[in-house]
Amino acid sequence: MRPIDNFEYPAELKPVFEKAKKLEWITVAYLLSTAAVVYLTMGNSQAMKTAWFEDMLSLTPSLSFLIASRVFHKKPNKDFPYGYHRVVSIAYLCSAVALFAVGAFLIFDSTATLIKQEHPTIGIKVIFGQEVWLGYLMIAAMLYGTFPAMILGRMKLPLAKKLHEKNLYTDAEMNKADWMTASAAILGVLGIGLGWWWADAVAALVIAFDILKDGYSNLKQAVFDLMDEQPKTVDDQKTDPLLHQVQAILKHQPWIQKFSFRMREEGHIYLGEAYVVPSEETGLVARLEQLSEELENLHWRIQEIVIMPVRDLPDEPGAGGDLV
């Protein structure tokens, strides 16, 4: 049994990966500070409480990414001949669950508040001998939880696409949830100040549905990845165009009559098999090795593709050159 080659990002992407790790450490520090500030100023505001809970759950994608980044590049061994790449998919699942949980909690908590018709109040706090409405402090705390999160999320998106890092992309979605929740909390606090008791919960509820939608989409894709679905793109979760490039290369081999192939995603990388019906057997071994090398050199994500010669393929979808 031959373990696959050790995986490292290509030289041009290593600085991108290091930048992503640095951003995640910054995110962890920022979220901890945000959670502390929100906790100290939350008072009786429902939106502020949900914002604090959301900040704590927001740590999951960043921590998952940092843990996975210390594991996935470990060398394959006898027990793990395919390496440790799937830890990236597990980290993605953890992040997706956290994002979905944030949306679900916000909906449940806000709906319960509306049904109970709870009337939150915002008191006065004495600072340096001066009475200050606590709502001002809440708004200041939420502004701190808005703009940095928005900037961090936008910085992570292009890195996630370059690295094919779905966990990092989900973390960017979580940062989006951070600033949206903070914005909702600001509206809720202002609503309470105007005497609208329901504004606090309604603001959180409106944002919750968008967060839940993103969470469900990522959770579904994370589960499908672990079920060896066809590789999907990071951003729009459509079939990766790389598969069509593999198909084109196989189709233009003059010595192949028919073929079918399949690929699966292992974290950042793709593994696959192709079954080919050769038109002639002269120099077949050399041709198989050359074709396999050409496909693996097509892109850094294609870590290994095994070419298997067969006498015939059934006349069914996938046998004429499509994906199995």
Side-chain angles (χ1 to χ4, degrees):
M1 180 169 57
R2 180 183 72 88
I4 63 175
D5 296 333
N6 185 29
F7 168 75
E8 292 285 352
Y9 278 116
E12 66 272 16
L13 287 181
K14 287 183 180 179
V16 179
F17 179 58
E18 292 301 320
K19 182 178 180 180
K21 287 199 295 184
K22 186 179 298 184
L23 282 176
E24 291 294 43
W25 279 116
I26 293 173
T27 300
V28 170
Y30 163 69
L31 288 175
L32 288 174
S33 66
T34 302
V37 170
V38 172
Y39 180 80
L40 293 174
T41 59
M42 70 170 60
N44 293 323
S45 169
Q46 187 67 29
M48 291 290 286
K49 290 177 181 178
T50 54
W52 177 83
F53 179 79
E54 193 268 343
D55 284 338
M56 298 305 296
L57 271 180
S58 295
L59 288 166
T60 305
S62 299
L63 294 176
S64 297
F65 175 88
L66 292 170
I67 293 171
S69 68
R70 299 181 63 87
V71 177
F72 76 83
H73 55 73
K74 291 176 65 175
K75 294 182 178 180
N77 52 49
K78 181 180 178 181
D79 293 326
F80 294 91
Y82 289 96
Y84 293 81
H85 308 294
R86 194 158 286 222
V87 71
V88 176
S89 300
I90 296 173
Y92 177 38
L93 177 62
C94 293
S95 301
V97 169
L99 186 62
F100 183 82
V102 167
F105 173 80
L106 286 173
I107 290 175
F108 173 80
D109 213 31
S110 301
T111 302
T113 300
L114 289 172
I115 292 174
K116 295 177 183 177
Q117 296 188 13
E118 297 177 354
H119 290 58
T121 57
I122 299 178
I124 302 295
K125 193 175 185 68
V126 178
I127 301 178
F128 301 118
Q130 298 292 325
E131 291 186 349
V132 179
W133 183 51
L134 194 56
Y136 293 135
L137 299 180
M138 292 178 178
I139 292 173
M142 287 297 94
L143 288 174
Y144 176 60
T146 301
F147 294 106
M150 187 186 304
I151 295 170
L152 283 169
R154 289 186 177 275
M155 292 177 68
K156 291 173 187 176
L157 285 176
L159 305 184
K161 294 176 183 179
K162 289 179 180 178
L163 297 172
H164 193 72
E165 175 55 74
K166 293 181 179 179
N167 186 40
L168 187 63
Y169 189 86
T170 306
D171 192 26
E173 293 282 338
M174 184 68 87
N175 292 144
K176 172 186 171 185
D178 288 340
W179 72 258
M180 291 177 71
T181 305
S183 300
I186 291 174
L187 294 176
V189 170
L190 292 174
I192 293 174
L194 293 172
W196 302 337
W197 67 268
W198 47 264
D200 193 34
V202 169
L205 188 62
V206 171
I207 299 301
F209 282 104
D210 186 72
I211 297 173
L212 187 70
K213 172 179 169 293
D214 289 338
Y216 172 76
S217 176
N218 283 280
L219 179 59
K220 181 179 71 171
Q221 188 55 53
V223 172
F224 285 174
D225 285 352
L226 290 172
M227 293 173 63
D228 290 338
E229 187 188 28
Q230 285 186 38
K232 302 292 183 179
T233 54
V234 170
D235 49 354
D236 54 12
Q237 296 178 357
K238 295 182 179 179
T239 300
D240 194 321
L242 263 180
L243 274 63
H244 299 299
Q245 295 180 41
V246 170
Q247 183 181 29
I249 290 176
L250 290 168
K251 186 175 293 186
H252 288 86
Q253 299 299 316
W255 55 276
I256 294 179
Q257 295 182 40
K258 292 165 52 177
F259 69 88
S260 64
F261 75 102
R262 61 190 178 195
M263 300 190 77
R264 68 184 186 276
E265 198 166 345
E266 295 271 353
H268 306 115
I269 67 171
Y270 297 167
L271 306 177
E273 304 87 29
Y275 302 91
V276 301
V277 179
S279 57
E280 54 180 293
E281 298 185 5
T282 305
L284 182 58
V285 174
R287 289 179 177 181
L288 293 173
E289 291 179 346
Q290 182 180 357
L291 178 57
S292 180
E293 183 177 352
E294 181 181 356
L295 292 173
E296 290 173 6
N297 290 335
L298 181 61
H299 198 280
W300 64 266
R301 291 206 300 272
I302 301 178
Q303 176 74 4
E304 180 183 76
I305 183 163
V306 178
I307 313 295
M308 173 65 69
V310 294
R311 294 189 181 279
D312 196 12
L313 287 169
D315 293 325
E316 58 185 29
D322 295 328
L323 289 169
V324 173

